[in-house]
Amino acid sequence: MLAFLLSPAPVFATRYPPRVQVFVANSGADVTAVYDTRLGEVVASVPVGHSPVGVGVSDSGDLVYVTNELSDTVSVIDARTYKVVATVPVGEHPFGVAVTPTHAYVTNFGSDTVTVIDVRTNTPVLEIPVGRFPHTPVVSPDGKRVYVTNNGAQSVTVIDTKSQKPIATIPVGRFPAGIDTSPNGDRVYVANTGSDTVTVIDARDLDPIRSTAVGKSPMGVSVTPHGRVYVANAGSDTVSVLDRSGGPVVPAVPVAQQPEGSAASPDDSFVYVTNTAAGLMSIIDAGTGKLVAAVPIGREPEGVAVTS
């Protein structure tokens, strides 16, 4: 394990603009860790609800939304003060969260619904029925759609954010989990934990166009601004790197135990992967696909998001 504990501080001090932060939900400690990329260290540990798992960030970067799976709530954190400014009741076993300028969308794994939160008031305003065991949502770059993986239905539900209604259901692989879109929104990438594959969806036609084999039990997916797709393979302790078409770019990157969450920096510099069984966060160079460092981040880290 010591081999992973490399010192990242000099790298971040020269490559990052001020105040880029990584927020990590530590499900085993009921806190959200805040990692400062300039200092290369955890600068805050924010108490939230029981078993936090998912993290989403507002467009402005000022607010962070954390799903508390065993509290059936969402904690809203001020990204500047590291204080919880609201606790919002949602459905049963909330898992993932994605945020638009007006609303936050929370997947309720135990309710088969998505709770819609008004971000101006931090109150729930609607519940949208989706497929069985909704896992992770992602907002399209234009904000017009939310894509939701249905872990128990082998599908992705597409929600129109204007009508707040489902408009399509797309078949994918077994136990779909993590999901992200290409930078321009024309592709959607879905990690199928039960199939050991990633499904590539054409967002224009809302049809699957490719299935790519990756490592065992892929969970988290993130896409860099230059279109590289990073897939955290929880069962093989690797991260797969794909191009925009879904083809492998470099050999899978070995990381610490049980990689689950994945988030790409908005400046295309690094990808952050949580290693749930190791209590670490792996940091990968987004351009080369090489492991730069792995840092202690807290107990059982799962969801991760980057803001500035």
Side-chain angles (χ1 to χ4, degrees):
M1 190 62 68
L2 291 178
F4 287 92
L5 303 180
L6 309 178
S7 175
V11 176
F12 304 135
T14 58
R15 293 185 63 176
Y16 266 129
R19 208 165 177 82
V20 171
Q21 301 177 115
V22 184
F23 287 79
V24 177
N26 290 312
S27 61
D30 297 345
V31 299
T32 296
V34 186
Y35 181 82
D36 189 309
T37 59
R38 298 168 301 171
L39 301 175
E41 63 184 37
V42 174
V43 295
S45 187
V46 184
V48 289
H50 190 27
S51 191
V53 289
V55 186
V57 177
S58 65
D59 275 7
S60 66
D62 292 334
L63 295 175
V64 177
Y65 294 77
V66 179
T67 57
N68 304 305
E69 186 179 12
L70 299 184
S71 296
D72 297 341
T73 61
V74 170
S75 297
V76 185
I77 300 171
D78 186 309
R80 309 308 174 188
T81 65
Y82 310 141
K83 302 293 185 183
V84 173
V85 296
T87 300
V88 186
V90 292
E92 295 181 11
H93 302 300
F95 202 90
V97 56
V99 189
T100 73
T102 57
H103 295 91
Y105 294 81
V106 180
T107 49
N108 301 307
F109 195 86
S111 303
D112 299 342
T113 60
V114 170
T115 296
V116 184
I117 298 171
D118 186 324
V119 300
R120 296 166 298 181
T121 60
N122 284 321
T123 56
V125 294
L126 183 66
E127 285 212 3
I128 303 172
V130 289
R132 189 180 185 199
F133 302 150
H135 192 283
T136 302
V138 67
V139 178
S140 63
D142 62 9
K144 294 181 178 180
R145 292 173 176 171
V146 175
Y147 301 92
V148 176
T149 55
N150 301 308
N151 194 256
Q154 297 185 196
S155 67
V156 170
T157 296
V158 186
I159 297 171
D160 178 88
T161 57
K162 183 177 181 180
S163 67
Q164 303 288 25
K165 293 180 179 179
I167 58 171
T169 301
I170 306 167
V172 291
R174 294 184 63 197
F175 307 138
I179 185 170
D180 204 357
T181 73
S182 60
N184 67 0
D186 67 339
R187 296 286 185 270
V188 180
Y189 305 91
V190 179
N192 303 304
T193 306
S195 301
D196 299 339
T197 60
V198 168
T199 297
V200 182
I201 296 169
D202 186 323
R204 295 162 298 189
D205 300 328
L206 298 179
D207 287 323
I209 55 175
R210 178 170 181 170
S211 180
T212 300
V214 289
K216 294 180 180 178
S217 303
M219 292 283 291
V221 178
S222 63
V223 183
T224 70
H226 284 175
R228 280 195 170 185
V229 184
Y230 282 78
V231 184
N233 302 308
S236 55
D237 300 339
T238 61
V239 174
S240 295
V241 186
L242 312 178
D243 61 21
R244 73 175 308 275
S245 71
V249 176
V250 297
V253 184
V255 293
Q257 294 167 289
Q258 202 176 334
E260 290 199 7
S262 181
S265 175
D267 68 354
D268 207 47
S269 53
F270 299 102
V271 173
Y272 299 89
V273 175
T274 55
N275 303 111
T276 304
L280 298 174
M281 180 173 68
S282 296
I283 304 172
I284 298 171
D285 187 296
T288 65
K290 295 185 180 299
L291 182 67
V292 174
V295 297
I297 202 66
R299 185 178 170 190
E300 297 177 24
E302 293 195 38
V304 54
V306 185
T307 186
S308 61

